[in-house]
């Protein structure tokens, strides 16, 4: 299970500072995880980290403090294909909520329909934060599965190191559904927006068939907060493809080696990365609506 275990009774940060910018109405956090209670929803044995319980009530407190009114929960790797914790959270949330699941490709149509009815709008392929990290995409199997979920209007979310895929736009040139790429492409440390893979991701986003999450800056930065070395990455995306960007808190910040970042500060970075208020409104409100609430 690796060396990134944290005691399940470790308290979550509950002190928040109000946002330092005007948050538009109906803002959406497009990347967060619910973890636990582990006594009710046990984690898979082959996980690479063990988080403390991070419950819906904790998450709701964070959203309220940041004036964020909607959310998208993403299945964390600690649960494998057992989506129960996330599905239950979606159903009990006091705010509009969607989800991105992890499923076996042999999952039945009836289960897919059930998940759609609850609020699932995508399927996640995590190629990085798992025991078997790979720079090879199962494109054949992904395409076949994409054809199955196309009827629901779903997308596929990729957790990959985009700098390892210099021909990313060519690989997915004729892909049947939209793609979402997490953590600004999740590049390896020291990589820049000039990387061929990053540029390929931008080109595919320019077609309207790929979305990118402004999330997890600490995952791609070689420095401590305020992660100055990734500002150019975020700003490049905001200039190039503002209509294809969404923001995610990455709460509760699992599987990181350093201290847990402050959620209020992380949210304020949006105003640093995207100085234009109308563009921020696209990223926080309009784009999530198009991606997660269109069907």
């Amino acid at each position: 299970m690796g060396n990134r275990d944290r005691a399940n009774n470790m308290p979550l940060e509950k002190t928040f500072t109000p946002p330092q910018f005007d948050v538009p109405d109906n803002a959406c956090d497009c990347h967060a995880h619910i973890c636990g209670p582990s006594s009710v929803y046990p984690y898979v044995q082959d996980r690479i980290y063990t988080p403390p319980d991070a419950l819906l009530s904790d998450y709701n407190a964070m959203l309220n403090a940041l004036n964020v009114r909607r959310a998208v929960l993403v299945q964390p790797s600690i649960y494998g294909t057992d989506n129960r914790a996330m599905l239950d959270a979606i159903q009990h949330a006091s705010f509009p909520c969607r989800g991105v699941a992890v499923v076996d490709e042999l999952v039945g149509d009836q289960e897919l329909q059930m998940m759609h009815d609850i609020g699932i709008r995508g399927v996640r392929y995590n190629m990085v934060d798992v025991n078997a990290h790979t720079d090879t995409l199962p494109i054949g199997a992904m395409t076949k599965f994409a054809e199955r979920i196309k009827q629901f209007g779903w997308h596929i979310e990729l957790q990959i190191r985009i700098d390892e895929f210099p021909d990313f736009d060519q690989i997915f040139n004729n892909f049947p559904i939209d793609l979402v790429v997490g953590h600004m492409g999740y590049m390896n440390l020291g990589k820049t927006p000039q990387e061929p893979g990053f540029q390929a991701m931008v080109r595919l986003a320019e077609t309207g068939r790929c979305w990118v999450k402004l999330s997890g800056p600490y995952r791609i930065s070689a420095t401590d907060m305020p992660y100055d070395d990734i500002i150019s990455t975020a700003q490049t995306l905001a200039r190039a493809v503002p209509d294809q960007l969404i923001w995610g808190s990455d709460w509760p910040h699992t599987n990181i080696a350093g201290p847990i970042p402050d959620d209020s500060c992380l949210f304020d970075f949006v105003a640093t990365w995207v100085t234009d208020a109308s563009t921020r409104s696209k990223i926080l409100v309009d784009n999530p609506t198009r991606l997660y609430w269109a069907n």
Side-chain angles (χ1 to χ4, degrees), residues 7 10 12 16 21 34 56 64 67 85 90 116 132 143 155 158-159 167 170 208 225 229 239 251 267 279 284:
M10 180 178 177
L12 292 172
F16 303 99
F21 67 98
I34 298 299
L56 182 62
N64 286 337
N67 297 324
I90 292 172
H116 180 81
T143 302
H155 61 268
L158 296 174
Q159 185 94 312
D167 56 349
Q170 296 303 310
M225 189 179 284
D229 56 337
R239 287 192 301 267
W251 188 92
F267 194 35
T279 303
L284 292 172

Side-chain angles (χ1 to χ4, degrees), residues 169-246:
D169 56 334
Q170 296 303 310
I171 294 173
F172 289 102
N173 183 45
N174 296 309
F175 203 64
I177 61 176
D178 282 7
L179 297 169
V180 176
V181 181
H183 305 326
M184 297 183 250
Y186 210 167
M187 288 191 290
N188 287 288
L189 297 185
K191 302 298 182 179
T192 72
Q194 284 68 51
E195 287 293 322
F198 186 90
Q199 293 296 318
M201 178 182 68
V202 169
R203 287 194 299 270
L204 190 60
E206 288 173 337
T207 70
R209 294 183 291 117
C210 178
W211 307 72
V212 184
K213 290 187 174 183
L214 292 177
S215 61
Y218 42 84
R219 300 190 186 279
I220 59 174
S221 175
T223 66
D224 294 330
M225 189 179 284
Y227 317 118
D228 289 339
D229 56 337
I230 63 90
I231 292 176
S232 64
T233 300
Q235 292 181 338
T236 296
L237 289 168
R239 287 192 301 267
V241 287
D243 292 331
Q244 299 301 119
L245 294 185
I246 51 182

Side-chain angles (χ1 to χ4, degrees), residues 6-271:
R6 286 190 285 149
N8 282 334
N9 62 356
M10 180 178 177
L12 292 172
E13 177 63 53
K14 296 184 184 300
T15 301
F16 303 99
T17 303
Q20 300 302 297
F21 67 98
D22 291 331
V23 180
D25 291 341
N26 219 22
C28 184
D29 177 3
C30 296
H31 194 97
H33 310 291
I34 298 299
C35 305
S38 57
S39 59
V40 178
Y41 308 104
Y43 306 139
V44 295
Q45 287 297 312
D46 63 345
R47 63 191 182 275
I48 63 171
Y49 67 94
T50 301
D53 284 352
L55 307 181
L56 182 62
S57 57
D58 302 312
Y59 180 54
N60 189 44
M62 189 273 287
L63 290 182
N64 286 337
L66 301 185
N67 297 324
V68 175
R69 303 306 179 202
R70 297 180 295 168
V72 179
L73 301 179
V74 178
Q75 174 77 344
S77 63
I78 53 170
Y79 282 125
T81 59
D82 181 358
N83 294 278
R84 290 177 301 154
M86 178 185 61
L87 292 173
D88 286 355
I90 292 172
Q91 293 178 93
H92 288 93
S94 59
F95 46 85
C97 193
R98 294 291 199 234
V100 177
V102 174
V103 300
D104 187 289
E105 290 167 348
L106 298 179
V107 62
D109 290 342
Q110 187 174 2
E111 184 173 352
L112 292 175
Q113 182 66 61
M114 176 272 292
M115 289 192 290
H116 180 81
D117 293 342
I118 289 173
I120 297 302
R121 292 298 181 267
V123 171
R124 189 188 200 201
Y125 283 74
N126 186 346
M127 317 303 290
V128 179
D129 296 328
V130 291
N131 275 321
H133 172 202
T134 177
D135 59 2
T136 301
L137 288 169
I139 189 65
M142 287 175 59
T143 302
K144 183 177 179 180
F145 189 67
E147 292 286 1
R148 286 189 62 199
I149 62 176
K150 184 177 181 179
Q151 62 178 314
F152 299 107
W154 291 8
H155 61 268
I156 280 179
E157 178 170 329
L158 296 174
Q159 185 94 312
I160 60 174
R161 303 283 191 185
I162 200 66
D163 53 292
E164 297 174 357
F165 298 92
D167 56 349
F168 182 75
D169 56 334
Q170 296 303 310
I171 294 173
F172 289 102
N173 183 45
N174 296 309
F175 203 64
I177 61 176
D178 282 7
L179 297 169
V180 176
V181 181
H183 305 326
M184 297 183 250
Y186 210 167
M187 288 191 290
N188 287 288
L189 297 185
K191 302 298 182 179
T192 72
Q194 284 68 51
E195 287 293 322
F198 186 90
Q199 293 296 318
M201 178 182 68
V202 169
R203 287 194 299 270
L204 190 60
E206 288 173 337
T207 70
R209 294 183 291 117
C210 178
W211 307 72
V212 184
K213 290 187 174 183
L214 292 177
S215 61
Y218 42 84
R219 300 190 186 279
I220 59 174
S221 175
T223 66
D224 294 330
M225 189 179 284
Y227 317 118
D228 289 339
D229 56 337
I230 63 90
I231 292 176
S232 64
T233 300
Q235 292 181 338
T236 296
L237 289 168
R239 287 192 301 267
V241 287
D243 292 331
Q244 299 301 119
L245 294 185
I246 51 182
W247 169 78
S249 68
D250 198 25
W251 188 92
H253 320 295
T254 61
N255 193 30
I256 60 175
I260 302 301
D262 179 87
D263 292 292
S264 302
C265 292
L266 287 175
F267 194 35
D268 285 338
F269 291 155
V270 175

